[in-house]
Amino acid sequence: MTGSTTDVSIVPGLFGADPLEYGRAVGDVSRTDADLLHLDVMDGVFVPDISFGLKAVKSVRKAFDRRLDVHLQVTRPESHIDGLAEAGVDLVSVHVESTPHIARLLRDLEKSGIAAGIALNPGTPLSSVEEIAHLVEQVVVMAVNPGTSDFLPYTVDKIRRLRADLDARGLGHIRIAADGGVTAERAAALRAAGADRLVVASALFQDPAGVESAFRSLGAIAAGA
């Protein structure tokens, strides 16, 4: 895993970088030991923002030689799977709110050779993943409402309850990713609650100390070092 500990990963979220500096930002991440780079694919419908399209994903794929983690925040996510598979994406997380056929979509990801994740908006109950959690590598718990930056403290307890449920069901190997508003001040609490992947965007790419230094610092803080 990444970061400065063996049990928590700092996952850079490229959307937090200056859009004029995306290429340099990917290079900065490559100089860390991050094993995942997180790309938010947004369509302006499911969430207000529009972000990386397939062409951008392919370009990042060429520039980054480790795993690409795509967070699909789109309507009709099934229409994106073939293109993402062709682009060489490694992990795709799909919102349970975005499709009535989440189990079928997870199966399609498996058939395409892509590891699957499921994502939950803050107001979506944990019960919505109960029947499908065993099919995925990770569950992404949004700590903000998508398209906003306001951290919602109650999501920390949501992560805690999810971790307890997964462990009780013998699914402790499934990763929990906290996404949205993750900062140095919140990292330790999120990890203590059971998140073992912390998706860090603005707090990483806008740190005056630079990406490499911020990455090391966040990993140490999350680990309680």
Side-chain angles (χ1 to χ4, degrees):
M1 299 180 190
T2 62
S4 57
T5 179
T6 58
D7 63 354
V8 61
S9 299
I10 302 300
V11 181
L14 189 61
F15 195 56
D18 182 341
L20 296 178
E21 300 289 345
Y22 281 147
R24 188 169 74 176
V26 173
D28 289 341
V29 174
S30 295
R31 286 187 288 275
T32 72
D33 64 350
D35 60 4
L36 282 175
L37 177 58
H38 182 93
L39 301 180
D40 291 295
V41 172
M42 307 174 180
D43 63 359
V45 180
F46 184 71
V47 294
D49 283 316
I50 296 175
S51 65
F52 307 110
L54 187 58
K55 184 176 181 180
V57 173
K58 289 179 177 179
S59 294
V60 174
R61 171 75 288 169
K62 292 177 182 177
F64 189 71
D65 62 3
R66 281 160 265 168
R67 298 182 79 204
L68 282 187
D69 166 28
V70 166
H71 180 185
L72 276 182
Q73 300 176 64
V74 300
T75 57
R76 300 185 65 249
E78 59 277 358
S79 66
H80 295 258
I81 302 307
D82 289 346
L84 292 173
E86 181 183 350
V89 167
D90 302 284
L91 170 62
V92 172
S93 294
V94 181
H95 275 264
V96 296
E97 308 90 355
S98 68
T99 174
H101 304 296
I102 186 68
R104 184 171 70 192
L105 185 51
L106 296 177
R107 184 183 62 187
D108 290 344
L109 285 168
E110 181 182 13
K111 289 180 178 179
S112 298
I114 301 174
I118 42 181
L120 299 174
N121 284 334
T124 301
L126 295 177
S127 59
S128 64
V129 303
E130 182 177 353
E131 303 298 335
I132 51 176
H134 65 286
L135 300 174
V136 303
E137 173 180 320
Q138 70 175 8
V139 179
V140 180
V141 177
M142 295 300 297
V144 300
N145 286 304
T148 73
S149 58
D150 294 330
F151 182 81
L152 301 171
Y154 66 81
T155 58
V156 177
D157 183 65
K158 186 177 185 178
I159 289 170
R160 184 176 294 108
R161 288 183 285 114
L162 175 60
R163 173 51 68 201
D165 179 68
L166 292 175
D167 289 349
R169 295 172 58 197
L171 299 174
H173 62 282
I174 295 174
R175 309 296 295 269
I176 297 177
D179 187 359
V182 179
T183 63
E185 293 75 20
R186 297 168 181 144
L190 289 164
R191 179 61 189 99
D196 46 17
R197 283 179 176 160
L198 304 180
V199 180
V200 188
S202 299
L204 180 70
F205 289 103
Q206 297 178 21
D207 191 310
V211 170
E212 293 177 78
S213 176
F215 182 88
R216 290 192 297 269
S217 296
L218 283 160
I221 292 168

